[in-house]
Amino acid sequence: MNLSSGIKYSFLVVVVVLMQNKVVVSEEAIKVHLAEGRTDLEEFASKLEMTLNQWYPYIKGLLSSDSSTPNYSPPVTINVFFERMEDKSTIAMASSEGRIILGNIDYYQTHQHDVGSMIHELVHLIQEYPKNVCPTWLIEGIADYVRYYHFHRQDQHTDRVRGKLFLMPRKPSRRQSWRDGYATTAFFLDYVVANVREDFLYWINKSCRDGHYRESIWKKLTGHSIIKLWRKMIKNG
């Protein structure tokens, strides 16, 4: 991974995280780095760093693993860098091996309200599922579920930096599938959590992280096959 020159790395720091009006001392640290001279993104970088550090303990708890997953440990330090990406369609991406989030500097120059996309990548670093176990559509769906139905919902769907309204995912149509991932799967997950089983996210996340995920787990956890749940959501969601 080619990171821009002139970027300074940081070491572990102790961060005071403000969550729900409580001061929580955390050893985790998320540091946002800008290349020298990028003063146009300083305000955004400062807000992003504060927001990611505030939300990290919450997301880590939301996607927690108990003692039955002994080989898993969430990242302690995460670095966020901005650079120009060859693929212009890429907004941001996470590297679990390097505990790094890369943001497309061309995108964030004009989308400084889009902190939610970085929340999505932060979720990926916390997920850290074994390879070839949890399907990609579910991995991306969980990340967007956390982004929209926790991060944006708590902010009443509005990012106040520019006053732009964040539209929540629309109800999928009959032509779509739960395998579409991202916002479509996120809507489906929210329906299941809200209407079928409140702790569904915990168990589906655990099955992915433990390496035991199978599609049959949907019926085991809810009493309904995944296709029946999807049809119920289309009809009633």
Side-chain angles (χ1 to χ4, degrees):
M1 189 174 294
N2 181 24
L3 299 177
S4 302
S5 59
I7 296 176
K8 299 179 180 179
Y9 289 83
S10 68
F11 297 97
L12 174 65
V13 297
V14 176
V15 179
V16 177
V17 180
L18 301 176
M19 287 295 290
Q20 300 178 344
N21 298 321
K22 295 181 180 179
V23 177
V24 180
V25 178
S26 174
E27 293 183 352
E28 294 91 4
I30 300 173
K31 184 66 178 175
V32 177
H33 306 268
L34 289 176
E36 292 183 11
R38 296 312 307 237
T39 57
D40 55 328
L41 287 175
E42 281 183 351
E43 184 177 347
F44 170 68
S46 177
K47 179 196 173 180
L48 177 63
E49 184 172 286
M50 180 183 68
T51 303
L52 294 181
N53 276 297
Q54 287 176 340
W55 275 84
Y56 179 75
Y58 177 86
I59 298 171
K60 187 177 69 171
L62 192 66
L63 300 178
S64 63
S65 283
D66 58 27
S67 57
S68 65
T69 314
N71 296 326
Y72 170 76
S73 59
V76 176
T77 57
I78 295 171
N79 289 286
V80 181
F81 300 97
F82 292 92
E83 67 174 25
R84 285 190 167 84
M85 296 183 179
E86 294 181 6
D87 183 353
K88 300 299 182 182
S89 65
T90 301
I91 296 173
M93 58 184 181
S95 170
S96 58
E97 294 179 1
R99 307 298 194 184
I100 288 171
I101 297 174
L102 278 177
N104 188 336
I105 198 167
D106 293 322
Y107 174 81
Y108 287 103
Q109 278 180 314
T110 55
H111 295 78
Q112 296 186 26
H113 61 286
D114 191 8
V115 176
S117 59
M118 286 287 180
I119 291 288
H120 177 104
E121 299 304 328
L122 179 60
V123 172
H124 284 326
L125 291 183
I126 295 171
Q127 284 174 312
E128 202 168 303
Y129 304 142
K131 292 181 179 180
N132 303 319
V133 175
C134 190
T136 301
W137 61 264
L138 182 55
I139 294 172
E140 298 296 346
I142 290 173
D144 259 10
Y145 169 77
V146 175
R147 170 185 180 174
Y148 287 108
Y149 294 99
H150 287 266
F151 178 68
H152 284 315
R153 179 178 276 171
Q154 182 161 314
D155 199 31
Q156 298 180 340
H157 311 180
T158 303
D159 189 296
R160 308 189 195 287
V161 173
R162 294 189 176 183
K164 290 190 176 182
L165 179 67
F166 256 101
L167 298 178
M168 300 294 282
R170 294 182 179 181
K171 179 181 175 179
S173 70
R174 295 180 183 274
R175 298 177 183 177
Q176 293 175 281
S177 166
W178 63 86
R179 296 188 182 94
D180 290 346
Y182 296 97
T184 301
T185 304
F187 188 99
F188 184 36
L189 288 169
D190 183 63
Y191 172 82
V192 175
V193 170
N195 297 280
V196 184
R197 180 159 181 165
E198 188 176 0
D199 62 350
F200 182 77
L201 181 68
Y202 171 82
W203 292 108
I204 206 76
N205 172 71
K206 177 175 169 55
S207 72
C208 286
R209 188 171 289 141
D210 288 352
H212 300 149
Y213 175 83
R214 300 291 185 276
E215 190 171 287
S216 59
I217 195 172
W218 291 73
K219 186 171 185 178
K220 179 179 179 181
L221 292 174
T222 68
H224 303 290
S225 67
I226 192 169
I227 191 169
K228 186 173 182 179
L229 285 168
W230 177 261
R231 289 171 177 170
K232 285 169 67 70
M233 182 211 68
I234 293 294
K235 182 179 180 180
N236 305 316

